[in-house]
């Protein structure tokens, strides 16, 4: 029997699978958005949210462990806004796979039990991030000055 037929089907399928995952992550670079400096420990969309929250002068905590974090079976919250009792979560490609969904469920249960409201931000929200954050936290968006 030739050698190539003896290799496992799992090995033969791994290369296309990696390419598909890589293509998903390439969608995160958006040329229509202004450039942003990446914050250490955050991806580019999360860095945009970090910059928007900083510009709005909103008190927030980044990547806070919930229910003991990943070590104890809990999860990590993206942006905790303690003054508003809100958790802002960016829903990137990881949240679409089974492991991401399971972590989201654990995180949501832990935060809602502590009285927090979990709010998701998506890629489509990045274009108008500041008004979207203001809508989510309940602050009025100023339409015009003096009106």
């Amino acid at each position: 029997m030739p050698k190539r037929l003896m290799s496992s089907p799992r090995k033969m399928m791994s290369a296309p699978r990696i390419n598909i995952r890589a293509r998903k992550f390439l969608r995160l670079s958006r040329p229509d958005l202004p450039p942003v400096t990446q914050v250490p420990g955050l991806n580019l969309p999360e860095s945009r949210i970090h910059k928007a929250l900083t510009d709005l002068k909103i008190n927030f905590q980044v990547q806070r462990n919930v229910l003991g974090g990943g070590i104890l079976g809990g999860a990590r919250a993206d942006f905790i806004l303690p003054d508003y009792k809100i958790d802002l979560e960016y829903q990137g490609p990881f949240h679409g796979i089974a492991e991401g969904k399971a972590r989201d469920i654990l995180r949501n249960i832990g935060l809602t039990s502590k009285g927090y409201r979990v709010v998701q931000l998506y890629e489509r929200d990045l274009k108008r991030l500041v008004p979207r954050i203001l809508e989510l936290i309940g602050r009025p968006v100023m339409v015009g000055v003096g009106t």
Side-chain angles (χ1 to χ4, degrees):
M1 197 177 254
K3 262 190 172 179
R4 70 177 190 182
L5 293 178
M6 292 178 66
S7 64
S8 71
R10 183 172 229 149
K11 282 184 180 179
M12 292 178 2
M13 292 181 64
S14 64
R17 184 185 211 188
I18 292 170
N19 291 337
I20 291 169
R21 286 185 183 166
R23 274 187 251 135
K24 281 184 182 179
F25 289 120
L26 290 177
R27 290 187 298 176
L28 294 177
S29 60
R30 299 273 314 252
D32 55 337
L33 294 173
V36 66
T37 305
Q38 189 166 358
V39 177
L42 301 178
N43 59 32
L44 279 175
E46 290 172 343
S47 296
R48 290 183 189 286
I49 297 168
H50 185 280
K51 181 182 180 327
L53 291 171
T54 304
D55 291 348
L56 290 168
K57 296 182 172 106
I58 293 175
N59 177 29
F60 66 96
Q61 300 168 358
V62 181
Q63 300 291 319
R64 186 167 137 208
N65 287 333
V66 180
L67 299 175
I71 295 171
L72 299 176
R76 182 176 288 172
D78 287 346
F79 299 94
I80 295 284
L81 312 179
D83 298 338
Y84 300 96
K85 297 289 272 185
I86 291 176
D87 170 35
L88 284 179
E89 289 293 325
Y90 178 72
Q91 298 295 307
F94 172 74
H95 297 273
I97 65 173
E99 183 183 351
K101 289 178 182 179
R103 284 189 188 180
D104 287 348
I105 290 169
L106 286 174
R107 182 200 60 236
N108 294 350
I109 290 170
L111 285 168
T112 53
S113 71
K114 292 183 178 188
Y116 280 85
R117 183 170 54 114
V118 180
V119 179
Q120 284 86 20
L121 290 170
Y122 298 93
E123 187 176 359
R124 66 180 175 262
D125 296 323
L126 296 177
K127 271 191 171 180
R128 51 181 300 271
L129 190 56
V130 171
R132 181 68 180 136
I133 290 172
L134 292 174
E135 289 170 12
L136 292 172
I137 65 174
R139 273 199 198 168
V141 180
M142 300 302 285
V143 177
V145 178
T147 58

